[in-house]
C-alpha cells in the first residue's frame, strides 16, 4: 500500500474515532444530567397534544428553562429525542443545583487527590532527580 493511501486511511479512521467519542461523551453528559434531574425530584412528562409537542420542540436543547405560568414557576429540561421533558418546581431546581455543585466538588476533590498522589511518589528517590533542579524548576548552578 502506498504511504499516501495509508496516511489517508489512517486520517479517516482517526476522524471517525474522534467523532464517535464526541457523540458518546455528549450522550453520557446528557444522560448524567437527566439522572440528576430525576434524582432531584423532576417528573418526566410526555406531551400529548400537538401544541405541547410544539412547545417542547421550541425549548432550547440541553438547557433547563424557567417558565412562569400564572403565579407558578416551572423548570423544564426538554428531551425531544425521546419526546419527553423533565419538569420541576423551585424546590426541585434548588435540589438539582445542589446536586450539580456537589458533583463538581467531588470531581475537583478527585482531581486534587490525583495531583497529591503524584506529589507523594517521592521523586527524590528516583535516580538523577536529586539536586539537578533548583528553585522554580531551573537547573541548580554547577549541577552539570
Amino acid at each position: 500500500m502506498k504511504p499516501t493511501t495509508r496516511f489517508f486511511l489512517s486520517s479517516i479512521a482517526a476522524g471517525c474515532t474522534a467523532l464517535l467519542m464526541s457523540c458518546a461523551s455528549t450522550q453520557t453528559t446528557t444522560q448524567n444530567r437527566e439522572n440528576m434531574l430525576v434524582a432531584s425530584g423532576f417528573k418526566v412528562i410526555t406531551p400529548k397534544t400537538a401544541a405541547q409537542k410544539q412547545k417542547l420542540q421550541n425549548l432550547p436543547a440541553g438547557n433547563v428553562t424557567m417558565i412562569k405560568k400564572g403565579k407558578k414557576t416551572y423548570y423544564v429540561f426538554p428531551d425531544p429525542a425521546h419526546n419527553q421533558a423533565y419538569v420541576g418546581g423551585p424546590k426541585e431546581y434548588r435540589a438539582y443545583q445542589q446536586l450539580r455543585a456537589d458533583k463538581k466538588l467531588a470531581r475537583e476533590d478527585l482531581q486534587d487527590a490525583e495531583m497529591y498522589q503524584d506529589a507523594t511518589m517521592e521523586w527524590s528517590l528516583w535516580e538523577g532527580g536529586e539536586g539537578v533542579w533548583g528553585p522554580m524548576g531551573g537547573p541548580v548552578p554547577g549541577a552539570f
Side-chain angles (χ1 to χ4, degrees), residues 7-127:
F7 176 74
F8 179 71
L9 292 175
S10 297
S11 298
I12 289 174
C16 289
T17 302
L19 180 64
L20 288 173
M21 289 175 60
S22 167
C23 291
S25 173
T26 302
Q27 197 171 27
T28 302
T29 302
T30 302
Q31 186 65 44
N32 287 341
R33 182 173 287 164
E34 291 169 354
N35 290 340
M36 285 193 296
L37 288 164
V38 170
S40 300
F42 277 66
K43 304 293 182 214
V44 179
I45 306 294
T46 303
K48 297 185 182 358
T49 67
Q52 290 173 339
K53 290 178 184 178
Q54 184 62 39
K55 286 181 183 179
L56 175 65
Q57 295 296 326
N58 290 338
L59 291 172
N63 293 318
V64 176
T65 304
M66 182 180 75
I67 298 175
K68 289 201 174 261
K69 189 169 184 179
K71 293 185 178 186
K72 293 193 174 196
T73 301
Y74 298 96
Y75 294 88
V76 182
F77 180 82
D79 183 2
H82 296 104
N83 191 39
Q84 62 189 19
Y86 297 83
V87 181
K91 176 181 155 191
E92 291 80 15
Y93 185 69
R94 280 191 301 274
Y96 168 68
Q97 293 292 77
Q98 185 62 49
L99 194 57
R100 284 185 63 188
D102 292 347
K103 187 172 184 168
K104 182 180 180 199
L105 287 174
R107 189 171 47 248
E108 288 173 358
D109 286 346
L110 177 62
Q111 289 171 343
D112 287 348
E114 289 170 349
M115 183 178 68
Y116 290 128
Q117 177 187 2
D118 206 32
T120 61
M121 291 185 68
E122 298 186 29
W123 290 104
S124 63
L125 299 177
W126 291 38
E127 290 183 27

